Amino acid sequence: AGVVNAGDGIVSITSAGGITDQGADNLLNITGGSLALVAVTGIGSANAIETAINGAITFTNTTSGSVQITDNSATATFAGANTTGGGNFITLIEQDAAGFKSGATGILSVDAITIQADRMQITKAVNANAGRVTLRSNTAGQLTDLGSMLSAVPTAVTWHLATALTPRARLQRCT
């Protein structure tokens, strides 16, 4: 795929196959106000789709392949589903210091989900079904700041895990 720059506009990409970043790079692929990605065989499966989105990033992948999205904007929110099995996963990375924010409908995967950011606001369900949910910091050795959402919205975070969080995961409630 090439570079899409919609300014603050809506970007919607639907594919009967996969949505791919053909270069093994970390160069920006999509800029916009919001982004909807719908695919059948993966979204950034081999190499993450790099975005700078000022609003909602939504994704749906239905048959095979993984979902990998890396964003670098302070206001993006993530929501979507990867309903494929067989070791296909979701990896969502927010590089901006403002951190990761879950979107309106949460995140669903048949297999594993990894969320990586230095700050996280998870207010909707993150459901890994048969996999595990892993929360990682962008900064080595730094604890991931989950903000005050654990006390402000005590029933908003739902973990449906077949196994526990990644061994030695350190979660710290910061106020």
Side-chain angles (χ1 to χ4, degrees):
V3 174
V4 175
N5 187 340
D8 284 331
I10 298 168
V11 178
S12 179
I13 302 172
T14 301
S15 173
I19 298 172
T20 62
D21 178 357
Q22 294 176 342
D25 57 38
N26 291 321
L27 300 176
L28 186 62
N29 303 119
I30 303 169
T31 302
S34 65
L35 173 63
L37 301 171
V38 178
V40 176
T41 59
I43 299 170
S45 207
N47 185 40
I49 303 293
E50 291 88 7
T51 67
I53 303 299
N54 294 322
I57 298 173
T58 60
F59 57 89
T60 303
N61 185 52
T62 58
T63 304
S64 65
S66 297
V67 173
Q68 297 186 90
I69 302 169
T70 299
D71 187 71
N72 192 6
S73 78
T75 55
T77 62
F78 292 84
N82 188 17
T83 58
T84 68
N88 296 305
F89 53 85
I90 296 175
T91 300
L92 304 172
I93 300 173
E94 179 55 68
Q95 295 179 325
D96 190 87
F100 176 91
K101 296 168 211 65
S102 61
T105 59
I107 300 164
L108 167 69
S109 180
V110 173
D111 288 316
I113 298 172
T114 299
I115 299 172
Q116 181 175 319
D118 286 340
R119 294 186 54 79
M120 296 181 190
Q121 294 175 338
I122 301 172
T123 58
K124 297 294 179 182
V126 176
N127 184 338
N129 271 348
R132 79 174 42 191
V133 173
T134 303
L135 305 177
R136 291 191 178 135
S137 175
N138 284 329
T139 307
Q142 175 175 315
L143 295 177
T144 298
D145 179 356
L146 296 175
S148 60
M149 63 87 183
L150 291 177
S151 60
V153 190
T155 60
V157 179
T158 306
W159 304 105
H160 299 279
L161 302 173
T163 57
L165 287 172
T166 301
R168 294 181 303 281
R170 297 185 302 167
L171 301 179
Q172 177 175 316
R173 184 173 148 221
C174 301
T175 56

